[in-house]
Amino acid sequence: MTKIITIDGPSGSGKGSVSRLLAKTLGFSYLDSGALYRLLSIAASRHQVVSNNQKGLKSLAEHMDIRFETDDEGGLIALLEGEDVTLEMRTENTGELASKIAGHSDVRSALLKRQRLFATGEGLVADGRDMGTVIFPAADLKIYLTASIDERARRRYKELLEKGEDVSLRALAEQVRARDERDMSRDVSPLVPAEDAIELDTSNLSIEEVLETILDFKRF
Ligand code: C5P
């Protein structure tokens, strides 16, 4: 049976970096579920499917041609219909649109099936918002990462600057807050810790410290 570790939390909580590092350390596969929502939002723009067209989005979610590869530094490369869309996938605009379409239940159930297919081999680290609550409720270890809004905005700011995006910290803090609120208050699969998740505040922790803490909780 594939061992599964779920890492959920709001944007900027550190889940992406920690999950990638954890997967590498354990030799497990990695699922960046947010990337699926982001790729769907890019596919929707390309095919002119508007964000309230649930039927069109569901069909795209079921059939979109996506592939993930890893670069030399272990970063994720995302291909949509054979085209490398990694940079576009990480922009704040794409995240915003992803969060809007993520509220549709039909989209979520179409992506649920695609996400579960990642659970093969020895182990999987699954990163997202509903990994421990909906996609892998029987996971072997569930982690819920949080951090203060200021710290999360600061991390996103740094990340976007490094990618060459021109953003203001104050505007970004507001965007991060609004996206979290939407993710936490939607009717389907809202962002909440699973009842059996271990909650970790990463505001004052380095990625390595978070990794060590998670490895200490691992009992398999
Ligand atoms: O994690 P990331 O910022 O890439 O996710 C983009 C958006 O996709 C989130 O704001 C959220 O609305 C949605 N998402 C989701 N469920 C997941 C992962 C992401 O609803 N498991």
Side-chain angles (χ1 to χ4, degrees), residues 15 33 37-38 99 102 108 129-131 179 183 186:
K15 51 190 173 59
S33 61
Y37 289 90
R38 285 171 180 266
S99 162
R108 300 201 75 87
R129 305 289 188 294
D130 60 345
M131 297 297 98
R179 180 140 73 92
D183 288 346
R186 67 183 171 219

Side-chain angles (χ1 to χ4, degrees), residues 144-198:
Y144 188 87
L145 298 184
T146 54
S148 68
I149 177 81
D150 286 349
E151 178 57 22
R152 292 191 289 111
R154 205 187 53 75
R155 289 176 186 169
R156 278 298 286 153
Y157 181 68
K158 204 169 148 245
E159 221 174 274
L160 291 173
L161 276 192
E162 278 164 12
K163 295 205 169 83
E165 261 202 76
D166 184 21
V167 282
S168 102
L169 181 56
R170 188 183 298 180
L172 188 64
E174 177 47 31
Q175 252 175 331
V176 167
R177 197 202 51 74
R179 180 140 73 92
D180 288 348
E181 193 173 295
R182 191 184 305 124
D183 288 346
M184 288 171 175
S185 61
R186 67 183 171 219
D187 294 335
V188 279
S189 311
L191 169 64
V192 281
E195 273 178 19
D196 48 350
I198 295 163

Side-chain angles (χ1 to χ4, degrees), residues 13 18 32-33 37 40-41 48 74 80 85 98 154 161 191 209:
S13 57
V18 168
D32 175 353
S33 61
Y37 289 90
L40 178 59
S41 73
Q48 278 132 37
L80 174 66
V85 292
R154 205 187 53 75
L161 276 192
L191 169 64
E209 286 170 323

Side-chain angles (χ1 to χ4, degrees), residues 62-182:
E62 282 166 346
H63 303 295
M64 64 178 174
D65 166 18
I66 56 173
R67 214 171 69 236
F68 295 109
E69 291 175 1
T70 313
D71 66 20
D72 295 342
E73 281 102 52
L76 203 69
I77 298 175
L79 299 151
L80 174 66
E81 294 162 17
E83 182 196 346
D84 183 345
V85 292
T86 313
L87 286 179
E88 184 178 353
M89 181 177 84
R90 293 296 174 210
T91 63
E92 208 43 37
N93 277 347
T94 303
E96 187 72 16
L97 185 56
S99 162
K100 283 186 185 141
I101 62 181
H104 298 317
S105 56
D106 283 352
V107 164
R108 300 201 75 87
S109 37
L111 290 184
L112 176 141
K113 295 181 198 128
R114 297 188 77 149
Q115 291 170 82
R116 287 195 178 149
L117 294 176
F118 282 78
T120 56
E122 195 195 334
L124 174 73
V125 177
D127 136 17
R129 305 289 188 294
D130 60 345
M131 297 297 98
T133 50
V134 178
I135 309 295
F136 300 113
D140 300 273
L141 175 63
K142 298 181 186 177
I143 306 287
Y144 188 87
L145 298 184
T146 54
S148 68
I149 177 81
D150 286 349
E151 178 57 22
R152 292 191 289 111
R154 205 187 53 75
R155 289 176 186 169
R156 278 298 286 153
Y157 181 68
K158 204 169 148 245
E159 221 174 274
L160 291 173
L161 276 192
E162 278 164 12
K163 295 205 169 83
E165 261 202 76
D166 184 21
V167 282
S168 102
L169 181 56
R170 188 183 298 180
L172 188 64
E174 177 47 31
Q175 252 175 331
V176 167
R177 197 202 51 74
R179 180 140 73 92
D180 288 348
E181 193 173 295
R182 191 184 305 124

